[in-house]
Amino acid sequence: MKSGAVTDEFDRAAASYDTLVAANPGYHRHLRLSARRLALPRGGEGMRVLDLGCGTGASTAALARLFPRARIIGVDASEGMLARARAKKWKPNVRFIHARVEELSADRLGGPSDAVFAAYLLRNCPDTDAALGVMRDLLGPGGRMVLHEYSVADSPAARLVWSLVCWGVIIPLGRLVTGRSDLYRYLWRSVLDFDGVTALRRRMGRAGLENVRSLPLPGWQRGVTHTFLGGVAAEGAS
């Protein structure tokens, strides 16, 4: 399902997406925690921050709250999700672009970015390494990247928790609210099939990111969802 079919399912789910994520304890708080780990100075003043896979704008709102002086660009491949994001109230420093990650370039976005934030995105890209390489190339010298992502492959306990939550809550609730379960069954399986924490850190290093590390998130998602951090060397750094 890693293709246009994923985008189609997100289009169909857009109208009810905010309702569903609101039922996830800590969803918005965890996005803010990962966004805060970008550690941008002065509220992001003078900086360009990309929110890749922004969906209906939950991650965009987290970035805008934490870095109110940054220029924030939300990007998503789903027209339906973007329509929901654009319909919300934003300050002039926030804008949205319809595009797949693989279609992006620094020139298209007006120049290199100071930070890239991507929540629940990389796992859905058809070519993980190609997408990560593009994301790295969007950063200018000294740029910072945060991936907010599920990763359970290294932990049998986390895999069990994830499956229990999906089949006990996410899939039934998704079917109840939307009348379909395709997207939520895909979500369950895609997380099980995705990189473990160690493999994803190595993948980020191969993409040219430096100082790669991961940090846990609290609550029931501890061991299930993680903040992955990396960056690009500043000019003149050896």
Side-chain angles (χ1 to χ4, degrees), residues 16-230:
S16 55
Y17 195 79
D18 286 341
T19 300
L20 288 167
V21 299
N24 179 344
Y27 183 90
H28 296 284
R29 184 173 68 254
H30 290 163
L31 284 174
R32 291 192 296 271
L33 177 54
S34 282
R36 186 177 295 111
R37 288 168 172 170
L38 282 169
L40 303 182
R42 304 180 305 280
E45 183 177 5
M47 295 183 169
R48 179 183 288 112
V49 178
L50 303 183
D51 181 19
L52 303 183
C54 66
T56 60
S59 48
T60 317
L63 291 166
R65 176 174 173 175
L66 292 165
F67 309 116
R69 298 181 179 179
R71 290 166 291 160
I72 299 170
I73 304 173
V75 182
D76 205 276
S78 166
E79 285 276 25
M81 300 290 268
L82 275 179
R84 291 280 164 173
R86 286 175 170 143
K88 297 173 181 177
K89 187 175 181 179
W90 302 100
K91 293 183 177 179
N93 62 314
V94 177
R95 64 187 177 100
F96 295 93
I97 293 176
H98 176 237
R100 304 184 70 84
V101 169
E102 297 83 355
E103 300 168 349
L104 296 175
S105 67
D107 287 343
R108 177 176 179 180
L109 296 170
S113 295
D114 300 283
V116 164
F117 186 80
Y120 308 118
L121 169 69
L122 193 61
R123 168 179 43 84
N124 295 316
C125 294
D127 186 329
T128 307
D129 288 322
L132 193 54
V134 170
M135 293 161 67
R136 182 257 174 262
D137 289 344
L138 293 172
L139 290 170
R144 306 173 188 186
M145 182 185 297
V146 160
L147 309 179
H148 178 89
E149 188 57 86
Y150 297 115
S151 180
V152 300
D154 293 348
S155 169
R159 291 173 66 86
L160 177 60
V161 168
W162 174 245
S163 289
L164 290 173
V165 169
C166 282
W167 287 100
V169 180
I170 295 173
I171 294 172
L173 184 59
R175 185 186 296 114
L176 176 66
V177 173
T178 69
R180 297 171 61 93
S181 63
D182 304 57
L183 180 62
Y184 309 102
R185 286 187 286 108
Y186 161 76
L187 170 64
W188 165 67
R189 174 47 61 185
S190 70
V191 172
L192 293 182
D193 291 342
F194 190 55
D195 288 348
V197 171
T198 300
L200 182 51
R201 288 198 303 250
R202 288 174 177 164
R203 192 188 293 274
M204 293 172 70
R206 291 195 302 271
L209 293 161
E210 301 184 354
N211 299 317
V212 174
R213 59 201 187 280
S214 58
L215 297 170
L217 291 161
W220 77 266
Q221 294 201 59
R222 188 174 187 88
V224 174
T225 312
H226 312 259
T227 309
F228 294 88
L229 304 97

